[in-house]
Amino acid sequence: MELSKKLAILADAAKYDASCTSSGAAPRDSRGGRGIGSTAPMGICHSYTPDGRCVSLLKVLLTNYCVYDCLYCVNRVTSNVPRARFRIDEIVALTLDFYRRNCIEGLFLSSGIVRSPDYTMEQLVEVARRLREDHDFRGYIHLKTIPDASPELLAAAGRHADRLSLNVELPTPQGLATLAPQKDALAIRGAMGRLHRRIEAAKDAARERAPVSLPGAPARRAAPPRFAPGGQSTQMIVGADASDDRTIITTAATLYRDYRLRRVYYSAFSPIPDAARSLPPVAPPLVREHRLYQADWLVRFYGFGHDEIVTGGDGMLALEHDPKLAWALAHRERFPVDLNTAPRELLLRVPGLGVRTVERLLLARQGRRLRHADLKALRVPLAKALPFVVLADHRPGKALEAATAPRAAQQLGLFDAAPA
């Protein structure tokens, strides 16, 4: 099979992996003529997949052959899709070639399971090893690891990759047992725990590394062993099983707490050809995936508890409002908030105020009382924020009550006109 044909098949098969960020990578570059690649953001180009997703990595599968039969996966063994497989040297050559042509900033590599988890993981690790050791590649590498692979192979992956990820696949062990009976939720959590301990050990070593002194040279700190400096992430499929948003957010909070994940990615289930009857026939609305990311952000950076984000009795996030606005509307007794006196944690709960804006307001109010013009100067979305705040020259009056008027959710197509 021609290389371009392989690339078309295996890049398309990789589009269901949502984790394509390079945040958290250690800064490296090839200035001075040493090596190739950089993890710095400058000079990085982005590619766009046909469905509009922004991809700045060569995101590809080593192969879409797979011995597993996960019902939600387009690459499952019983799926009737074109199959392809890269050789290791082909992936290495593609990565270097695309990087030299400024098409990518790094490599995101995953794979179906061929022969065995260990054999597949060996192939993935070997790609990363050759890039790092044979070609001095300094760009970003993200490896999707296989939970059933041996701990030694996962350790080798961490030595070469900037970030590792292990997919929990579905929000609950019950959902995984139903839709992917060959996968073991406990084994996945066990592998995540081992990665977490290795990542933390590498961080500790970096803080405590011993000084090294060579004859004729000043003493300096020895470089600590490297292990996935960008941490680990995971991905959950949304809408393939009956898990509600409250369950999904709770699972994510548990993963952040137990394994210190850098990110939990939410991927709306995409209907696949010849799907099993136990799967939903249509995809969930993409706005649901968007609301989950917003809720995730509120828990991680705004001080919200994971158990208070979902305000509806059905366990689902409101689609017509973002989660912060929905929470404010459900707790009107907490508003309006006086921006001149309220503590930071309460300011962060005001719709329309981001973390940076709150920091600027706290700084500004040290010298004077905040007024309507201050919010305008900070480009705060006034229509969203003003019903919930009190300023020196503003009180919301009945605006807070009016803000509760529901607005029907509507997901627009790419060329649909926005409603008036």
Side-chain angles (χ1 to χ4, degrees):
M1 182 183 292
E2 293 181 359
L3 190 62
S4 59
K5 181 65 173 176
K6 289 184 184 179
L7 184 60
I9 293 173
L10 296 174
D12 184 70
K15 69 184 179 185
Y16 301 99
D17 279 310
S19 38
C20 59
T21 174
S22 62
S23 61
R28 297 186 301 273
D29 60 57
S30 54
R31 285 178 293 187
R34 296 184 305 161
I36 178 173
S38 168
T39 54
M42 289 185 297
I44 293 172
C45 296
H46 295 83
S47 301
Y48 292 86
T49 61
D51 59 357
R53 298 189 185 199
C54 175
V55 180
S56 57
L57 310 175
L58 171 57
K59 191 165 69 168
V60 70
L61 300 186
L62 186 65
T63 178
N64 64 342
Y65 288 101
C66 190
V67 299
Y68 289 171
D69 198 26
C70 307
L71 297 185
Y72 49 80
C73 182
V74 72
N75 300 317
R76 68 192 189 280
V77 66
T78 56
S79 179
N80 182 26
V81 295
R83 304 284 181 173
R85 180 177 177 178
F86 279 123
R87 298 192 312 271
I88 291 173
D89 61 301
E90 289 176 329
I91 290 285
V92 171
L94 276 175
T95 303
L96 296 174
D97 182 49
F98 284 170
Y99 200 98
R100 289 188 174 106
R101 288 193 281 162
N102 205 25
C103 297
I104 59 170
E105 60 173 308
L107 172 67
F108 176 98
L109 185 60
S110 183
S111 181
I113 310 298
V114 287
R115 296 192 191 179
S116 69
D118 275 355
Y119 175 81
T120 308
M121 197 68 228
E122 285 175 0
Q123 304 288 299
L124 296 173
V125 171
E126 180 61 12
V127 170
R129 188 201 67 76
R130 290 190 191 182
L131 283 169
R132 293 290 192 224
E133 296 184 356
D134 296 350
H135 298 279
D136 199 11
F137 181 71
R138 303 184 180 202
Y140 179 79
I141 296 178
H142 182 149
L143 291 184
K144 185 76 76 175
T145 54
I146 301 168
D148 295 327
S150 71
E152 292 77 15
L153 285 169
L154 297 184
R159 286 196 293 272
H160 302 298
D162 293 284
R163 176 170 289 183
L164 302 175
S165 56
L166 270 165
N167 285 355
V168 295
E169 306 283 359
L170 292 164
T172 65
Q174 296 78 14
L176 190 68
T178 301
L179 300 181
Q182 294 161 300
K183 294 188 174 179
D184 184 346
L186 287 177
I188 294 172
R189 298 297 181 101
M192 294 176 80
R194 288 190 290 276
L195 288 183
H196 167 58
R197 290 189 288 275
R198 285 186 176 277
I199 291 168
E200 293 303 310
K203 290 179 180 177
D204 291 341
R207 286 191 288 266
E208 300 170 359
R209 59 183 180 173
V212 172
S213 179
L214 299 175
R220 60 181 176 81
R221 297 283 180 182
R226 184 179 185 279
F227 192 88
Q232 64 170 321
S233 59
T234 193
Q235 179 176 337
M236 274 190 282
I237 301 171
V238 175
D241 66 354
S243 297
D244 59 21
D245 292 343
R246 180 177 286 116
T247 301
I248 293 171
I249 294 169
T250 300
T251 298
T254 302
L255 294 171
Y256 280 123
R257 182 198 63 198
D258 292 349
Y259 308 112
R260 304 290 184 194
L261 298 186
R262 293 299 296 265
R263 290 291 301 275
V264 174
Y265 292 91
Y266 309 94
S267 179
F269 167 69
S270 299
I272 55 178
D274 305 318
R277 292 184 177 180
S278 54
L279 292 174
V282 297
L286 281 178
V287 69
R288 183 184 176 194
E289 179 184 291
H290 182 59
R291 295 293 183 235
L292 284 168
Y293 277 113
Q294 290 177 316
D296 182 286
W297 214 254
L298 292 180
V299 173
R300 295 167 64 205
F301 301 110
Y302 284 74
F304 281 79
H306 68 85
D307 52 353
E308 62 175 330
I309 294 291
V310 179
T311 55
D314 59 355
M316 303 296 284
L317 292 167
L319 298 183
E320 65 270 29
H321 302 302
D322 67 73
K324 192 176 181 184
L325 178 58
W327 183 89
L329 293 175
H331 297 83
R332 286 189 299 155
E333 73 281 3
R334 304 281 294 272
F335 298 93
V337 169
D338 190 335
L339 296 192
N340 284 293
T341 58
R344 180 179 184 276
E345 56 269 23
L346 192 51
L347 295 182
L348 287 172
R349 293 182 176 244
V350 175
L353 299 188
V355 173
R356 185 174 297 179
T357 298
V358 167
E359 299 301 336
R360 289 174 176 172
L361 291 174
L362 290 171
L363 185 64
R365 78 184 192 185
Q366 292 179 5
R368 54 186 165 76
R369 290 182 60 76
L370 297 173
R371 308 176 73 84
H372 180 281
D374 293 309
L375 297 189
K376 189 174 182 180
L378 290 173
R379 299 183 178 180
V380 171
L382 298 178
K384 180 181 262 188
L386 285 178
F388 298 93
V389 299
V390 170
L391 293 156
D393 58 349
H394 167 80
R395 299 192 69 85
K398 295 183 178 179
L400 176 56
E401 184 178 344
T404 62
R407 180 180 178 184
Q410 182 179 5
Q411 184 167 320
L412 299 178
L414 185 60
F415 300 106
D416 293 340

